[in-house]
């Protein structure tokens, strides 16, 4: 194959390297040019194109990919049609993926133009999941290279999905003084869920003392009626002659391996009894999170043998995610710092519906409303308070003298609410997880109300919008997670954050705080009803 610029007169049969336009006609990349295509391009003033010109012994990218895929031997896998030099292969059953790594390596070593990528060895897969892909890099490859690859593919099974079998599993849980029944019950539920994902079924449970004789008796009984036995010890294995491995041998079985180089999962025991597999589960298997028990259980349920050598080879990649709830984590857990929340208090408005006086200067119990609201913000669990000023800026500053807060001046306050939101959010600290938007004219909102919103935000992990409500109706304040801050910077006019909350796709948590969530003082009547006294 030759690749590069060629005169349009010599382009018939060539494969376009780039999309090309001729008048109203657009030729896509990899299009093979006909005589009519060449005439149209020439008439449109195209004199040269960049293209691939195939030799007589070349195979086009789709034909090459298809030929290679069709030469592969596999199980429970199906290939789709070739397109753009690629054939994807998909699982036709849920199970464990196995691959002949030597064959894959040999194919990828033939030539860089031909590539095969697969999932990792022993990866669990679902029905319909992609497991491998064949990709031809250029527009064509020499047929001799494809022949070399198909010869390798003829050497045996290249990969497979080993389908899960509907095995019957008996469970033994040993008991020591102090172990709670709730722990044992949860272990059963977790185990049933593990088996359900692969079609297995938990048939029987036995609870025995944590002693060799009763465990051996229960294991022998369950092995007779099930395909597999799983033993959860009340105490973790601390020696290779401990209760679980000793009980397997006492029952007439064999311990294949005690201990594995997978963490969590180190204390697993694997054995056989009456031709059935017995697993002494590590303590971490009481958790649904992935651990070494999953690796062994899934392979056995998929009909794969697991030997002592197999387990010994699981160390690379065997350092899994920590399970914090297990009795002895690898490292002490760092103390979690609480999620910081700043309060952005809006005090820039003109109080236009008051007909002149600034409502924020109205006295409540002899104190300006804006100072009373800010003091309640400062008395909350927030990490800081930012007051946005605009209208009568100096007067608001004076009313708040002596308080530890930050100011954000908004010279564009007359343009609407969005300008104040943007000014306030711009001052929020970089270590802050969320900002609570508090209106300066809500006399019924207390420090305790603000704390309820902050607590709900922290409990939700700092990723949700938290909104005050009254009798099921949304109100104010509203606490916004940091993920919404960039969108606030694009607000315009007299627009608040409501539509961002509704369109942002985030969870919204409504917190009932009572009447204070819906009482603001936009009019003289409302202010006086709330107990305020207007000042000139």
């Amino acid at each position: 194959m030759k690749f590069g610029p060629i005169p349009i007169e010599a382009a018939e049969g060539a494969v376009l390297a780039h999309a090309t336009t001729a008048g109203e006609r657009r030729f896509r990349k990899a299009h093979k040019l006909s005589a009519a295509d060449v005439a149209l391009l020439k008439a449109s003033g195209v004199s040269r194109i960049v293209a691939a010109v195939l030799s007589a012994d070349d195979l086009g990218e789709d034909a090459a990919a298809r030929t290679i895929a069709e030469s592969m031997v596999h199980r429970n896998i199906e290939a789709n049609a070739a397109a753009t030099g690629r054939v994807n292969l998909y699982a036709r059953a849920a199970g464990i993926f196995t691959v002949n790594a030597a064959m894959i390596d040999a194919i990828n070593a033939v030539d860089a133009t031909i590539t095969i990528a697969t999932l990792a060895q022993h990866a669990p897969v679902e029905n319909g999941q992609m497991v491998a892909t064949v990709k031809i890099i250029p527009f064509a490859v020499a047929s001799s290279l494809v022949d070399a690859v198909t010869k390798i593919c003829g050497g045996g099974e290249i990969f497979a999905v080993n389908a899960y079998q509907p095995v019957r599993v008996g469970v033994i849980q040993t008991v020591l003084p102090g172990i709670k029944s709730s722990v044992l019950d949860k272990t059963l539920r977790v185990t049933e869920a593990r088996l359900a994902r692969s079609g297995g079924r938990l048939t029987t449970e036995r609870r025995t003392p944590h002693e060799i004789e009763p465990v051996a008796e229960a294991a022998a009984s369950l092995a007779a009626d099930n395909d597999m036995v799983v033993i959860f010890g009340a105490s973790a294995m601390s020696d290779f002659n401990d209760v679980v491995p000793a009980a397997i041998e006492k029952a007439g079985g064999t311990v294949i391996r005690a201990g594995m180089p997978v963490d969590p999962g180190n204390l697993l025991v694997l054995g056989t009894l009456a031709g059935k597999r017995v697993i002494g589960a590590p303590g971490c298997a009481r958790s649904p999170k992935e651990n070494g028990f999953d690796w062994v259980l899934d392979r056995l349920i998929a009909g794969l043998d697991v030997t002592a050598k197999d387990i010994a080879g699981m160390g690379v990649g065997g350092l899994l995610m920590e399970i914090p709830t297990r009795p002895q984590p690898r490292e002490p857990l760092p103390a979690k710092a609480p999620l910081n929340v700043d309060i952005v208090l809006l005090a820039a408005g003109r109080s236009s519906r008051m007909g002149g006086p600034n409502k924020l200067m109205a006295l409540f119990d002899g104190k300006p409303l804006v100072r009373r609201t800010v003091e309640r913000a400062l008395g909350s669990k927030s990490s800081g308070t930012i007051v946005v000023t605009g209208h009568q800026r100096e007067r608001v500053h004076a009313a708040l003298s002596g308080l530890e807060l930050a100011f954000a001046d908004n010279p564009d306050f007359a343009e609407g609410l969005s300008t104040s939101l943007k000014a306030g959010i711009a001052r929020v600290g970089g270590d802050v997880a969320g900002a609570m938007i508090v209106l300066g004219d809500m006399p019924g909102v207390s420090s305790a109300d603000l704390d309820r919103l902050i607590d709900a935000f922290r409990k939700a992990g700092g990723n949700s919008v938290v909104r005050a409500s009254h009798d099921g109706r949304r109100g104010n304040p509203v606490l916004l997670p940091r993920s919404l801050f960039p969108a606030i910077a694009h607000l315009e006019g007299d627009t608040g954050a409501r539509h961002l909350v509704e369109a942002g796709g985030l969870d919204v948590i409504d917190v009932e705080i009572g009447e204070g969530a819906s009482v603001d003082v936009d009019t003289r009547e409302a202010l006086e009803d709330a107990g305020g006294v207007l000042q000139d």
Side-chain angles (χ1 to χ4, degrees), residues 143-403:
S143 57
S144 59
L145 296 177
V146 175
D147 290 343
V149 170
T150 58
K151 183 177 180 180
I152 296 170
C153 291
E157 182 177 271
I158 190 167
F159 37 60
V161 172
N162 301 271
Y164 291 130
Q165 306 299 314
V167 298
R168 302 169 75 251
V169 178
V171 169
I172 300 168
Q173 296 203 72
T174 70
V175 180
L176 287 171
I179 192 166
K180 296 179 180 179
S181 295
S182 59
V183 172
L184 304 179
D185 294 341
K186 178 186 175 184
T187 300
L188 275 186
R189 293 194 299 271
V190 169
T191 304
E192 286 174 335
R194 270 198 170 91
L195 294 172
R197 73 189 182 204
S198 54
R201 183 166 64 91
L202 195 160
T203 63
T204 312
E205 183 211 16
R206 297 277 183 87
R207 296 185 181 181
T208 74
H210 189 68
E211 300 170 5
I212 296 173
E213 290 283 353
V215 174
E217 181 182 341
S221 174
L222 293 182
D225 299 322
N226 292 280
D227 302 307
M228 187 185 304
V229 177
V230 177
I231 306 171
F232 289 90
S235 177
M237 178 189 68
S238 57
D239 187 88
F240 299 152
N241 294 312
D242 210 338
V243 170
V244 173
I248 293 172
E249 293 187 339
K250 179 72 175 178
T254 302
V255 174
I256 296 172
R257 171 96 182 192
M260 69 185 306
V262 178
D263 191 304
N266 292 139
L267 304 183
L268 179 138
V269 178
L270 178 65
T272 60
L273 177 60
K276 311 293 177 62
R277 289 305 177 100
V278 181
I279 306 176
C284 57
R286 297 185 189 273
S287 164
K289 292 191 175 180
E290 182 187 19
N291 59 81
F293 176 68
D294 291 290
W295 289 19
V296 174
L297 179 69
D298 287 351
R299 293 191 200 183
L300 292 176
I301 290 176
L304 296 171
D305 191 21
V306 178
T307 66
K309 183 178 179 181
D310 292 331
I311 293 176
M314 292 178 180
V316 176
L319 184 61
L320 304 179
M321 184 177 294
E322 178 64 287
I323 299 176
T325 55
R326 66 176 176 161
Q328 195 118 28
R330 288 191 285 262
E331 296 179 346
L333 294 176
K336 271 192 175 181
L339 297 171
N340 288 336
V341 172
D342 275 357
I343 287 178
V344 174
L345 194 141
L346 305 182
R350 292 177 291 178
S351 304
S352 55
R353 295 174 65 183
M354 286 292 175
N358 187 341
K359 62 183 174 183
L360 297 182
M361 295 298 113
L363 298 181
F364 282 77
D365 299 323
K367 185 179 294 185
L369 174 56
V370 67
R371 187 177 183 95
R372 172 169 138 149
T373 307
V374 169
E375 285 178 347
R376 292 180 175 182
L378 294 172
S380 73
K381 296 177 181 178
S382 67
S383 52
T385 298
I386 301 158
V387 178
V388 182
T389 59
H391 177 61
Q392 296 186 354
R393 173 181 177 275
E394 293 77 10
R395 194 176 178 191
V396 173
H397 274 250
L400 300 176
S401 63
L403 300 180

